[in-house]
Amino acid sequence: MKIYIAKDFFQLSKKAAEIIQDAISEKPDLVLGLATGSTPLGTYKELIRMHKEEKLDFSRVISFNLDEYYPISPENKQSYFYYMKHNFFRHININPENIHVPDGQAEDAESHCKVYEAEIRRHKGIDLQLLGIGENGHIGFNEPDDEIEVLTHLTKLSESTLRANSRFFDSKEKVPCQAITMGLGSIMKAKKILLLASGIKKAEIIAKLLTEQKATTNIPASALLLHNDVTVLLDEEAAGIYKMKIKNQFSEG
Ligand code: PGA
């Protein structure tokens, strides 16, 4: 696991965008796994700048989003489809046919999950997966639980995620209580993973993840410890407790 600590959110976003830019330069038909939330917003902004000013070409890139609320309409401003369209896709030259976001209106969610998984396979898997992390250690909507769901599935959101996401809705009651998410297995099959964490709220989970080095279903992101090509990009705030802990380890040892 490579750990990179950036000075601030802007530098973190710049570095993440550079990693994605390099991957597209190397493989113009990159299969790119994308995430939503506040953390990747700076990365999308920088990628849009690279597209506009440096001609970064997305025309052959194939994207797969991690998750979507269920049920939700793509026109709902809180849907991840809407987020992706407005914060990224409509500003770049990605081919709409190459965009995949789980369908929040699928009539049969279970079979849609199977089709989504099969689509990822048809494109020979994800080359580079961008991830955020929840304060409870979730990735996508893979929430802490006794068991791990391996493939794309319909899931219930945990209380803590409902609470965290209620900031985007009028009230906690308006947050859809289910979501379609890629499973940890779908994520772990990505050839390369880029995990972003920014801000003080992520400091505790990052420290736990990086110092304890234990894989547990109580911290879904800890599955990433088993992957052989993960880059963790942090800003100073998210890295704060981790840095303190490793400093103490050194002074104790
Ligand atoms: P955030 O969400 O980027 O809005 O903090 C991350 C996540 O919950 O996966």
Side-chain angles (χ1 to χ4, degrees):
M1 196 172 251
K2 279 179 260 166
I3 300 166
Y4 177 94
I5 302 174
K7 190 166 95 247
D8 54 25
F9 181 66
F10 178 72
Q11 294 300 334
L12 172 146
S13 305
K14 214 163 152 263
K15 177 79 183 167
E18 278 165 15
I19 292 174
I20 296 171
Q21 178 185 41
D22 287 350
I24 297 174
S25 307
E26 218 169 274
K27 186 175 184 275
D29 58 347
L30 189 79
V31 183
L32 182 58
L34 295 173
T36 49
S38 338
T39 317
L41 281 175
T43 307
Y44 294 145
K45 213 168 154 194
E46 178 62 9
L47 285 170
I48 293 166
R49 190 201 61 74
M50 287 170 164
H51 168 66
K52 297 209 157 118
E53 292 175 14
E54 296 168 19
K55 309 251 175 312
L56 178 58
D57 181 15
F58 290 89
S59 61
R60 293 175 60 202
V61 169
I62 292 149
S63 75
F64 281 92
N65 262 79
L66 273 177
D67 47 14
E68 176 61 285
Y69 289 116
Y70 187 83
I72 201 159
S73 134
E75 278 93 46
N76 185 319
K77 289 200 170 129
Q78 302 309 331
S79 75
Y80 288 164
F81 184 86
Y82 189 97
Y83 167 110
M84 289 308 302
K85 186 171 165 195
H86 289 268
N87 291 308
F88 193 35
F89 295 148
R90 73 172 191 181
H91 305 286
I92 57 169
N93 65 332
I94 192 163
N95 179 348
E97 283 174 15
N98 290 346
I99 292 171
H100 304 84
V101 180
D103 182 0
Q105 289 188 311
E107 245 171 65
D108 180 347
E110 304 282 336
S111 51
H112 176 64
C113 292
K114 291 202 179 94
V115 170
Y116 201 74
E117 196 68 37
E119 266 294 282
I120 298 175
R121 265 201 314 275
R122 192 171 72 79
H123 286 94
K124 308 218 172 3
I126 289 168
D127 293 309
L128 174 60
Q129 177 68 55
L130 184 65
L131 292 178
I133 181 169
E135 288 164 49
N136 64 358
H138 75 202
I139 47 178
F141 275 122
N142 294 281
E143 303 281 8
D145 207 339
D146 293 339
E147 290 181 332
I148 283 183
E149 282 268 3
V150 175
L151 302 177
T152 303
H153 59 284
L154 184 66
T155 185
K156 261 181 87 170
L157 307 192
S158 73
E159 263 304 309
S160 94
T161 300
L162 284 173
R163 245 193 333 271
N165 290 7
S166 62
R167 68 189 194 273
F168 302 114
F169 291 81
D170 297 339
S171 67
K172 182 170 150 248
E173 287 64 44
K174 293 231 169 110
V175 189
C177 54
Q178 294 186 93
I180 294 174
T181 182
M182 276 164 55
L184 280 179
S186 340
I187 295 168
M188 289 288 284
K189 277 182 224 142
K191 293 169 192 88
K192 190 178 171 72
I193 293 177
L194 183 55
L195 176 78
L196 310 182
S198 162
I200 205 113
K201 282 191 178 163
K202 303 293 168 70
E204 208 164 302
I205 190 68
I206 287 296
K208 205 167 162 60
L209 179 70
L210 299 182
T211 54
E212 290 184 7
Q213 292 287 320
K214 285 200 178 86
T216 159
T217 58
N218 293 323
I219 304 178
S222 65
L224 302 178
L225 297 166
L226 307 170
H227 193 283
N228 67 5
D229 194 351
V230 178
T231 300
V232 179
L233 268 176
L234 309 170
D235 62 11
E236 284 288 345
E237 284 188 350
I241 303 179
Y242 166 65
K243 276 174 78 177
M244 225 159 57
K245 280 200 175 171
I246 52 170
K247 207 162 136 207
N248 289 345
Q249 268 174 21
F250 281 121
S251 50
E252 278 163 20

